[in-house]
Amino acid sequence: MSRSLFAALAEALAATEIGQKLALTATVVADWQAGRLDWQAAPAAALVCGRPPRPELVPHHLVPQRGAKTPEGRARLLHAIVHIEFTAINLALDHAARFPGMPEHYYADWIGVAAEEAHHFTLLRQRLQALGYDYGDFAAHGGLWEMAEKTRDDVLVRMALVPRLLEARGLDATPPIQRKLTQAGDEESARLLNIILHDEIGHVGLGDTWFRRLCGERGLNPETTYRELLVTYGAPWPQAPLNEAARLAAGFSAAELAALAHPD
């Protein structure tokens, strides 16, 4: 007998213990692939995002600067990325859980992303542990999830401002971080970020695909709508230098990148 997809997603999303969240996410993936989850069932009554008591979440400006020249600095840098990947698990689960009535492939896409984000989290956490630290040892900020809360009522806005905006910023930030790590002699961490960058292009690409599809259904121009949403929601404008190759691979057009690079 099949189980509600939305109930399974809500359970994984609500898990507060790291091992439990990873296990429940893996169960959602396995059950979905086996056809045991009903994506046409009634949505969950309420969604709660669970996270462990640590790391402490503080405002963005209170997170210390993360240089790569010292072992602790590199650990802080990696910890920030580990936190992003943990949050990304919750984001992918929430993308799927929060918006009933979408096509079946929409749920398949974001369940697949949840699996990849869980893999990224595990890889980077293991690397952090190899450096003598663990997830939760440093403070972090909750900016990614704050945007998820702001966009909870409209899947089009969610696709625009989470995967297509905030996660796309990771495409821009990763190469400079890799250079810092390489210059500091941490080739292994830089190598792991190659894996993540490759997968994240695909994740941003899914956000782009669904955003454009939803704009088409509503008779909206996607690229002008995107810029309007940045203003309406007070979202951070993409900061130069943009990783143009990665963004083009994820679905941005050259004309849109030019418009984003020169907003005036």
Side-chain angles (χ1 to χ4, degrees):
M1 183 176 179
S2 63
R3 181 189 183 196
S4 164
L5 168 64
F6 301 105
L9 289 165
E11 182 182 17
L13 181 65
T16 58
E17 196 272 320
I18 292 171
Q20 182 189 30
K21 188 175 295 286
L22 294 174
L24 288 171
T25 299
T27 297
V28 169
V29 174
D31 285 350
W32 175 263
Q33 292 174 343
R36 292 191 289 265
L37 295 175
D38 180 4
W39 61 279
Q40 295 177 308
L47 293 175
V48 177
C49 179
R51 52 174 297 273
R54 299 173 64 234
E56 177 189 6
L57 296 186
V58 299
H60 186 278
H61 67 278
L62 295 182
V63 178
Q65 292 295 310
R66 302 176 289 267
K69 295 182 179 180
T70 67
E72 181 178 328
R74 289 193 293 279
R76 286 182 178 275
L77 184 59
L78 278 178
H79 185 276
I81 304 172
V82 171
H83 177 64
I84 289 170
E85 297 302 327
F86 184 83
T87 305
I89 301 170
N90 283 331
L91 288 171
L93 294 170
D94 194 81
H95 293 344
R98 190 165 296 281
F99 303 107
M102 293 293 287
E104 182 179 10
H105 195 59
Y106 173 87
Y107 303 109
D109 283 345
W110 294 111
I111 290 168
V113 170
E116 290 187 347
E117 301 292 18
H119 178 58
H120 296 169
F121 171 81
T122 301
L123 284 177
L124 289 176
R125 186 188 186 196
Q126 289 171 347
R127 179 60 185 158
L128 186 62
Q129 290 169 334
L131 297 177
Y133 297 86
D134 201 359
Y135 181 48
D137 284 352
F138 304 107
H141 69 85
L144 263 175
W145 191 257
E146 289 169 7
M147 186 59 77
E149 292 286 351
K150 289 180 181 179
T151 59
R152 64 191 301 163
D153 295 325
D154 189 332
V155 63
L156 182 152
V157 180
R158 170 66 65 86
M159 292 295 101
L161 299 185
V162 178
R164 204 173 188 268
L165 174 64
L166 296 188
E167 294 189 59
R169 296 177 77 188
L171 304 182
D172 306 327
T174 298
I177 292 172
Q178 288 178 296
R179 287 193 291 271
K180 287 182 181 180
L181 291 169
T182 300
Q183 290 166 1
D186 192 348
E187 298 282 355
E188 177 60 15
S189 296
R191 183 190 68 81
L192 291 176
L193 292 184
N194 269 336
I195 298 171
I196 290 163
L197 179 60
H198 174 272
D199 291 346
E200 292 297 338
I201 290 172
H203 301 172
V204 175
L206 289 177
D208 178 81
T209 296
W210 285 106
F211 173 66
R212 290 180 184 276
R213 175 170 173 167
L214 290 159
C215 283
E217 291 174 357
R218 300 186 195 183
L220 301 173
N221 178 292
E223 297 183 4
T224 56
T225 298
Y226 182 69
R227 293 192 293 275
E228 289 166 1
L229 289 172
L230 295 183
V231 175
T232 300
Y233 283 81
W237 200 274
Q239 295 295 303
L242 302 181
N243 186 342
E244 292 190 3
R247 283 176 173 266
L248 289 169
F252 287 79
S253 71
E256 182 177 17
L257 293 181
L260 291 172
H262 303 94
D264 295 333

